[in-house]
C-alpha cells in the first residue's frame, strides 16, 4: 500500500521523487554540456552576435518554457488524454503536412522539418512521437479483442502509420520515422498482439527499412560511411571519425569540463546530435556510463509505473507509460549508437540533454504524463477517484 493509517504512520510521497530527480539531473547536465559544446560555434557565428552564451541562453529559455508546459500537462487527467488521442494525432498529421508546403516549412541542411514561429521554430516530428504514443495506446485498448487479427487489429494502424511515415520521409526525417515505427510496434506488442503476427511484422519492417536505404543514395552513403569511417575521414566518415576521436581522447575520466578539442569546429552538431561525444571527451567513460544508468532508471520506472497501472486495470495509462519508456529508451540508444559508431547517423537528439526546444518540450511533456499516471495510481491505492 502507498499510504498507511495516518494515525500510525506518516504517508509516503505522492510522487515518484526518484524519477523527478533523475530527469532534473539530466536536464541540468544537458544545460552545462550544451554551453560547453557550443561556446566556440556561438563566438564564431555572426548570427549570434559573437555571444558565447547565445546557445546557453536559448537552451535555458527552452528549459523554462518546457518545465512550465510540463506542469500544465501534469494537471490534465489521463481520461482527457485518452479522449484527445485521436484529435492530437490528427493535429500532428496536419503539422507534418504544413512543414512540406513551400514557403511554410523551413529548410535547414537539406531537410524541411521546421515551422517558423517568429522567435522560435517548431519541429512537429518531435511532438508527433508523443501523439503516436497516445494514439497507439488508445487504438490498442479499443481494439483489444482484435489483437490476434491481421485485418481488424493490425492493418488499420499499419495503414495510418504508413501515411505518417510517408510524410516524415518526405522531409526527410528517417530517424523520427524509425522511432515512431518502433513506438507503435512496441505498444501493439505490449497490448497483446499475436506473437506470430508481430514476428512477421518485424521481418517485413526490417526488409522495408533495408529497401528504403538501398533506394536512397544519401542513406546508402551514410551506411557506407558508418561501416568504415576511416576510408573517407574527410567525407562520408567525417562526423563519425571525429566522434570516435572524442571518445578516445576522453579515456576513463575525461579531459575535464570545457577541455574538449573536437567541439572546436571538428565535430559537426556538437551541441545537438553529437553531444554525447563531447560528454565522452570531457567526462570520460565514467560520464557516459552515468548517463546510460540515468536513462536506464527512467525506462525501468516507466515500465514499473505501467505494470502498476495495468494491475489496477487502467490499460490506457499502462500502455502510455510503457510507450513513453520505450520512446525515451529507443531514442537514447539510437543516439548513443550513432555517437559510438554502432549505428549510421540518424539526426536524432539525446533526450533531455541535447539542444533543441521542440525535443526538450515534447520529452518534458511525456515525463509529466508519466508522473501523472504514477500519481493517479497512488491516488487510487488510497481509495480516491481520479
Amino acid at each position: 500500500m502507498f499510504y498507511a493509517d495516518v494515525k500510525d504512520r506518516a504517508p509516503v510521497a505522492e510522487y515518484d521523487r526518484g524519477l523527478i530527480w533523475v530527469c532534473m539531473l539530466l536536464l541540468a547536465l544537458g544545460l552545462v554540456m550544451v554551453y560547453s559544446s557550443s561556446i566556440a560555434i556561438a563566438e564564431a557565428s555572426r548570427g549570434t552576435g559573437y555571444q558565447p552564451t547565445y546557445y546557453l541562453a536559448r537552451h535555458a529559455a527552452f528549459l523554462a518554457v518546457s518545465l512550465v508546459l510540463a506542469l500544465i500537462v501534469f494537471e490534465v487527467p489521463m481520461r482527457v488524454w485518452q479522449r484527445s488521442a485521436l484529435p492530437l494525432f490528427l493535429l500532428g498529421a496536419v503539422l507534418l503536412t504544413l512543414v512540406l508546403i513551400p514557403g511554410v516549412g523551413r529548410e535547414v541542411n537539406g531537410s524541411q522539418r521546421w515551422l517558423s514561429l517568429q522567435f522560435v521554430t517548431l519541429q512537429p516530428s518531435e511532438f508527433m512521437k508523443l501523439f503516436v504514443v497516445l494514439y497507439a495506446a488508445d487504438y490498442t485498448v479499443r481494439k483489444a479483442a482484435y489483437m490476434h487479427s491481421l485485418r481488424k487489429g493490425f492493418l488499420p494502424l499499419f495503414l495510418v502509420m504508413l501515411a505518417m511515415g510517408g510524410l516524415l520521409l518526405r522531409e526527410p526525417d528517417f530517424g523520427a520515422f524509425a522511432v515512431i515505427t518502433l513506438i507503435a510496434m512496441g505498444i501493439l506488442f505490449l497490448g497483446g498482439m499475436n506473437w506470430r503476427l508481430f514476428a512477421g511484422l518485424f521481418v517485413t519492417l526490417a526488409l522495408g527499412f533495408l529497401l528504403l536505404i538501398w533506394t536512397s543514395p544519401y542513406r546508402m552513403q551514410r551506411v557506407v560511411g558508418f561501416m568504415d569511417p576511416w576510408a573517407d575521414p574527410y567525407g562520408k566518415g567525417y562526423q563519425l571519425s571525429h566522434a570516435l576521436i572524442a571518445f578516445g581522447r576522453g579515456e576513463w575520466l575525461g579531459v575535464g569540463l570545457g577541455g574538449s578539442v573536437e567541439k572546436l569546429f571538428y565535430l559537426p552538431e556538437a551541441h545537438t546530435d553529437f553531444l554525447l561525444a563531447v560528454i565522452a571527451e570531457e567526462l570520460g567513460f565514467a560520464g557516459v556510463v552515468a548517463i546510460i544508468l540515468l536513462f536506464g532508471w527512467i525506462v525501468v520506472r516507466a515500465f514499473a509505473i505501467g505494470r502498476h497501472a495495468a494491475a489496477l486495470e487502467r490499460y490506457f495509462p499502462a500502455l502510455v507509460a510503457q510507450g513513453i519508456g520505450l520512446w525515451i529508451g529507443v531514442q537514447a540508444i539510437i543516439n548513443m549508437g550513432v555517437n559510438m559508431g554502432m549505428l549510421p547517423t540518424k539526426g536524432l537528439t539525446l533526450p533531455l540533454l541535447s539542444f533543441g526546444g521542440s525535443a526538450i518540450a515534447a520529452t518534458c511533456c511525456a515525463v509529466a504524463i508519466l508522473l501523472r499516471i504514477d500519481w493517479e495510481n497512488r491516488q487510487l491505492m488510497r481509495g480516491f477517484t481520479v
Side-chain angles (χ1 to χ4, degrees), residues 199-250:
L201 170 63
F202 184 82
V203 172
T204 302
L205 286 174
L207 293 174
F209 277 121
L210 290 175
L211 183 62
L212 285 172
I213 293 171
W214 183 263
T215 56
S216 175
Y218 93 93
R219 293 192 189 104
M220 180 60 73
Q221 289 178 359
R222 283 189 172 187
V223 172
V224 172
F226 142 75
M227 293 176 66
D228 187 8
W230 307 110
D232 188 10
Y234 297 104
K236 294 185 288 290
Y238 183 80
Q239 288 179 309
L240 180 54
S241 61
H242 281 280
L244 294 177
I245 291 172
F247 272 86
R249 290 193 74 248

Side-chain angles (χ1 to χ4, degrees), residues 120-367:
V120 297
T121 55
L122 176 70
Q123 189 173 356
S125 60
E126 293 295 338
F127 289 94
M128 196 62 188
K129 295 168 188 175
L130 177 57
F131 298 160
V132 165
V133 169
L134 296 171
Y135 176 73
D138 177 57
Y139 176 89
T140 303
V141 170
R142 287 188 287 107
K143 299 284 187 176
Y146 303 109
M147 280 295 102
H148 295 278
S149 169
L150 174 65
R151 183 172 63 87
K152 295 182 178 181
F154 163 70
L155 194 57
L157 182 62
F158 174 76
L159 294 175
V160 170
M161 296 309 300
L162 192 64
M164 291 303 100
L167 292 174
L168 288 168
L169 292 176
R170 285 287 304 276
E171 294 183 2
D173 195 346
F174 188 77
F177 173 58
V179 171
I180 286 174
T181 301
L182 290 172
I183 290 171
M185 282 181 57
I187 290 177
L188 281 175
F189 180 74
L190 293 168
M193 186 179 185
N194 181 281
W195 72 268
R196 293 186 180 87
L197 188 60
F198 182 81
L201 170 63
F202 184 82
V203 172
T204 302
L205 286 174
L207 293 174
F209 277 121
L210 290 175
L211 183 62
L212 285 172
I213 293 171
W214 183 263
T215 56
S216 175
Y218 93 93
R219 293 192 189 104
M220 180 60 73
Q221 289 178 359
R222 283 189 172 187
V223 172
V224 172
F226 142 75
M227 293 176 66
D228 187 8
W230 307 110
D232 188 10
Y234 297 104
K236 294 185 288 290
Y238 183 80
Q239 288 179 309
L240 180 54
S241 61
H242 281 280
L244 294 177
I245 291 172
F247 272 86
R249 290 193 74 248
E251 297 185 349
W252 289 100
L253 299 177
V255 297
L257 187 62
S260 170
V261 172
E262 289 301 314
K263 69 184 181 185
L264 304 177
F265 309 106
Y266 294 104
L267 186 62
E269 309 297 337
H271 58 304
T272 55
D273 300 355
F274 285 90
L275 183 66
L276 186 69
V278 177
I279 293 174
E281 187 177 2
E282 296 190 352
L283 304 182
F285 178 77
V288 174
V289 169
I291 289 174
I292 292 173
L293 291 176
L294 291 174
F295 277 114
W297 177 275
I298 294 175
V299 174
V300 169
R301 287 304 304 147
F303 275 81
I305 291 169
R307 286 195 301 271
H308 186 206
L312 295 172
E313 298 184 350
R314 306 177 65 232
Y315 300 113
F316 172 75
L319 290 174
V320 170
Q322 294 174 341
I324 290 172
L326 189 65
W327 161 22
I328 294 176
V330 165
Q331 184 161 329
I333 288 172
I334 291 176
N335 179 274
M336 292 176 185
V338 168
N339 277 256
M340 297 178 188
M342 300 171 66
L343 292 171
T345 54
K346 290 289 189 300
L348 286 174
T349 58
L350 191 58
L352 300 173
L353 287 165
S354 296
F355 178 83
S358 296
I360 290 289
T363 310
C364 285
C365 287
V367 171

Side-chain angles (χ1 to χ4, degrees), residues 2 74 76-82 137-138 140-142 190-191 302-323 368-382 384-386:
F2 285 93
F74 177 80
V76 180
M78 289 308 299
R79 63 179 181 275
V80 176
W81 287 115
Q82 186 168 9
D138 177 57
T140 303
V141 170
R142 287 188 287 107
L190 293 168
F303 275 81
I305 291 169
R307 286 195 301 271
H308 186 206
L312 295 172
E313 298 184 350
R314 306 177 65 232
Y315 300 113
F316 172 75
L319 290 174
V320 170
Q322 294 174 341
I369 292 175
L370 184 60
L371 289 167
R372 175 73 193 194
I373 296 170
D374 179 61
W375 181 83
E376 290 187 1
N377 289 345
R378 297 175 187 236
Q379 295 302 304
L380 289 171
M381 289 295 292
R382 296 174 62 194
F384 296 121
T385 58
V386 293

